[in-house]
Amino acid sequence: DRERSMFNRTVPLMVKDVQILLDVEIEKKASWTRVTNVMKKLVADQESWDKSLRAMAAQKLTAQANEWLADNDQTDRDPEKDPITKDEFARRILLTEFSVSPGGRFTVWYEDDDMFWGHGVTVDGALKKGPIDADIQG
């Protein structure tokens, strides 16, 4: 997609098709190499990355998921007696998209399984630092 300076493709990851977006500086071929190398490394070790990215999301967002659960009048689940655990949170989110920036950082997008009433969950990271942060996206 030359207009957006981005390579865009759907590839099978973790047993499902996932949207891959590689953001490049169109005039700088080195940025093309950098983003493709990052994505290749993520794909090559996808099980390990998937586990660490989900763990970061669960660590950062499980408490918020339980706050949203407490505000949800459409469920009988009591967050005091039956809270969402970190393990449950990590299992419930569904990988949908990977994007890699020209600098090599990446963002992974997950569907929230309605824990945040349809908002997305993102995890930011870098190959050397691993997962850095997680957040809810509206």
Side-chain angles (χ1 to χ4, degrees):
D1 183 347
R2 283 192 167 280
E3 189 173 303
R4 292 181 22 192
S5 300
M6 191 166 292
F7 293 103
N8 182 348
R9 180 148 193 181
T10 301
V11 298
L13 275 177
M14 300 306 298
V15 191
K16 99 178 250 337
D17 287 343
V18 175
Q19 186 77 20
I20 302 294
L21 302 168
L22 304 178
D23 189 6
V24 297
E25 295 175 43
I26 202 74
E27 302 300 324
K28 295 182 180 177
K29 295 280 185 174
S31 75
W32 300 23
T33 303
R34 187 177 309 113
V35 298
T36 55
N37 285 342
V38 169
M39 197 66 237
K40 285 177 185 177
K41 289 177 182 174
L42 291 169
V43 170
D45 198 13
Q46 61 187 276
E47 288 182 26
S48 176
W49 277 106
D50 183 61
K51 184 177 179 179
S52 66
L53 293 165
R54 287 173 184 276
M56 171 60 79
Q59 175 189 341
K60 293 279 189 168
L61 300 173
T62 300
Q64 278 183 276
N66 282 304
E67 290 170 12
W68 286 57
L69 179 61
D71 290 340
N72 187 350
D73 59 4
Q74 302 294 314
T75 184
D76 293 331
R77 185 171 180 175
D78 183 344
E80 296 292 321
K81 294 178 182 171
D82 185 20
I84 298 169
T85 65
K86 288 180 182 177
D87 286 341
E88 177 188 354
F89 186 100
R91 277 192 317 272
R92 286 178 62 181
I93 56 177
L94 178 66
L95 178 64
T96 60
E97 183 179 304
F98 260 102
S99 64
V100 182
S101 72
R105 289 184 62 139
F106 57 85
T107 301
V108 183
W109 293 78
Y110 296 92
E111 290 179 3
D112 72 338
D113 194 28
D114 285 329
M115 289 183 285
F116 300 110
W117 307 345
H119 290 72
V121 171
T122 59
V123 180
D124 297 315
L127 287 179
K128 290 183 181 177
K129 294 181 180 181
I132 297 168
D133 200 11
D135 206 352
I136 304 166
Q137 300 297 319

